[in-house]
Amino acid sequence: MEVRENIISILVNNKPDVLARIAGTFSGRGFNIESISANVMMNPAITKIIITTRGNKQTVTKMEKQLHKLVDVLQVDDLTDVDSACGEMILIRIKLTEENKGKVMKAINTYNWRVVSMDPSSCIVEVTGDKELIDDALALLAPLGMDDFTRTGCIVLKRCKS
Amino acid sequence: MQLTGSQILFKILKEENVDTIFGYPGGSVMDIYDELFRQNIKHILVRHEQGAVHAADGYARVSGKVGVCLVTSGPGATNTVTGLANAYMDSIPLVVFTGQVQTWLIGNDAFQEVDITGITRPCTKHNFLVRRIEDVATTIKEAFRIARSGRPGPVLVDLPKDVIQTRIDEAELKYSISLPDKPVIPNAKRCAKALDLLKKAQKPVIISGGGVLLGRASEELRSFARVLNIPVTSTLMGLGTFPASDPLWLGMLGMHGTYYANMAVSYSDLLIAVGVRFDDRVTSNVEAFAPHAQIIHIDIDPASIDKIVKSHLSIVGDCKPALQWFNKEITSGRLSLPAEQIKSWRQQIRQWKEKFPLAYCRSKKIKPQCVIETLWKITNGEAIITTEVGQNQMWTAQFYRFDRPNTFISSGGLGTMGFGLPAAIGAQVACPGKLVVDIAGDGSIQMNIQELATAVQYNIPVKVVILNNNFLGMVRQWQELFFDKRYSHTDMSHAPDFVKLAEAYGATGFRASAPDEVETVLKKGLHTRGPVMMDFEVEPEECVYPMVKSGDPLTEMSLGDSNIVA
Ligand SMILES: Cc1ncc(C[n+]2csc(CCOP(=O)(O)OP(=O)(O)O)c2C)c(N)n1
């Protein structure tokens, strides 16, 4: 069976140890968490966690069943093959010099990236979009004097069936 | 009226009908023990916290109730870890209370502080650290509910010292009375699908597992199998779910299963697996497991379905209502298996049984199998038997014929040496009138031998049968078979004199050195009041057969000399 990236959305009780339980379930069963994001819902007692992990469908299904057994897990959805909106965000810091300044500004303008901070010697660019778009932005800016970056990892939301 | 955390604890324990606690005191639980001094609840003071958890485990298995432990923080708590892991693997309902340092000290590496909820997260069904007095009652209630609901398991509740000491107005004590859990009723449509498979079966076999005991479905299983005339095998954990005296019984399945159980499963065309999780000791080579069979898998835990063996039809739910559903179909005439249809299968099984029955050769030395067989005979198969781990455990599974549920108490999933004696103590506390025997190896018994003091203190009359081979027998067996007899560190001949040791503890000791002493010593031992330890000097290099080498197909059994009929 094909190994691929899977996206799992988990609703949990908002408790201090719940993330440790989920992480422990992944590591204990031999899975690696590729990316993770968590946010408190409108009801602050509940947190949504989005995890991406590599594996084939069968093993990921087993993983989901194990997650389901955790007392503080309320709901597990595998969104890998579900019609959903998916996005990430990256913040990229670039050291500006006389040589690269022109190229950096050109890229920013071409792709319409948002500049969140700018001073004479450096700038921070924000890019949002799907994984490929972010990968492309990284590939483009890395040789242009990229200094550091922070990437959120994937967040997803299922589309409503109308 | 004001109540302290300790008083709330006992209030809830009473509501949960807890009458016995196994425990060991220490600094952080002194307030609880002080309250216990005034409470009317039985407390068994063990000699090691691991013993407390195994005792509670044995108590739970025999009584069907939740086993309860109370230990102190730090080392007291860490000593429970093996017991918790053991109960977790075998799905035994326990609630273990651990003391904890004061909430304001947590995280400061305080004296006897450990992050016990962190340590036990992967080996408990759930655990709690209670930070506020207001949460004590609800949390304990919830702990009991979780421990016994669905697929049962151990729950740990960590109680900081200040939380226990705080007082709260009884009027402020709000918690919901949790309702008894409803059984999970399986989906009738899925059950109906199984009917078609069942009706067509020509070579059906039932595999019964520990889930049948936990789901209290032995009666239903018996009636289902008997009416349809389906042969039954079981996992180690399922022994006792079906009577070994029934002609349909195939004996245990798996690595040390019977020749005929392993053959039957391997040639079956329909396996009905009830409350099993297909452990690798049962399946051996998963690819070669039951290659001709369709598999109907009934289990309470959805995560067990298709985890290891892919089923053709899965039924998620309590096995009791599931089997009741099938039994109803039988009584209403919608389900039957014509005798003609399975006649040749039953004949085949009879032939396998005749070809290689469970057997062993006699010799000048005591044969361990003979000790167990004799024990079975003189107890009429009616004792509650606990075991340690290793050869003693496998021979017990093979040669003591269990007819009743909850009479075989053994560490299945974790294989914990040292389980048997404390578990026997727990079982005896649950059933004071019954004969309880721990069948032990000379290695295992030394892992929790200190609990003999507990047995003597409370006059808990457990009988210990040591199959003393002067080796870590099961490991030695592997060394003999797979490591050219290089007996690396399995020699146990530097052992105490178990008879004297028993006497030193205030128990009674007996020894048998020759085959003709076996019966007399057993009879003497069983009829002696109070705790007794019997030391049987058995054939040192006896092996357990049949044996399927780990990872081989179940059909590739080595039968040793067990085919030589006694
Ligand atoms: C706590 C623990 N440590 C180690 C083992 C590995 N182990 C499995 S069987 C066995 C030998 C048991 O020897 P003994 O109790 O004398 O029983 P016998 O096999 O001789 O009947 C060992 C060391 C284990 N199961 N549990």
Side-chain angles (χ1 to χ4, degrees), chain B residues 389-392 415-417 441-444 447 469 471-475:
Chain B
V389 167
Q391 295 180 315
N392 57 82
T416 314
M417 290 171 68
D442 49 311
S444 301
M447 284 220 176
N469 51 17
F471 276 112
L472 294 174
M474 187 55 95
V475 181

Side-chain angles (χ1 to χ4, degrees), chain A residues 15-17 20-21 29 58 62 65-66 69-72, chain B residues 121 125-127 142 146 151 301-303 305-308:
Chain A
K15 290 192 184 163
D17 58 355
R21 288 182 199 280
R29 306 257 164 200
Q58 202 182 340
K62 287 184 196 176
K65 286 185 183 174
Q66 295 298 340
K69 288 174 69 169
L70 297 176
V71 169
D72 285 321
Chain B
R121 221 172 265 140
K125 188 173 173 191
H126 195 60
N127 58 27
E142 185 65 359
I146 292 170
R151 179 175 175 174
D301 182 4
I305 307 283
D306 298 341
K307 184 175 81 171
I308 291 163

Side-chain angles (χ1 to χ4, degrees), chain B residues 291-335:
Chain B
H292 312 288
Q294 307 249 51
I295 298 176
I296 300 173
H297 191 180
I298 306 175
D299 203 275
I300 183 86
D301 182 4
S304 285
I305 307 283
D306 298 341
K307 184 175 81 171
I308 291 163
V309 168
K310 183 111 187 69
S311 57
H312 299 79
L313 180 75
S314 58
I315 297 171
V316 173
D318 269 45
C319 46
K320 194 182 184 92
L323 290 166
Q324 279 168 343
W325 189 92
F326 287 109
N327 289 341
K328 222 152 98 205
E329 292 298 297
I330 294 172
T331 33
S332 62
R334 285 189 294 268
L335 173 61

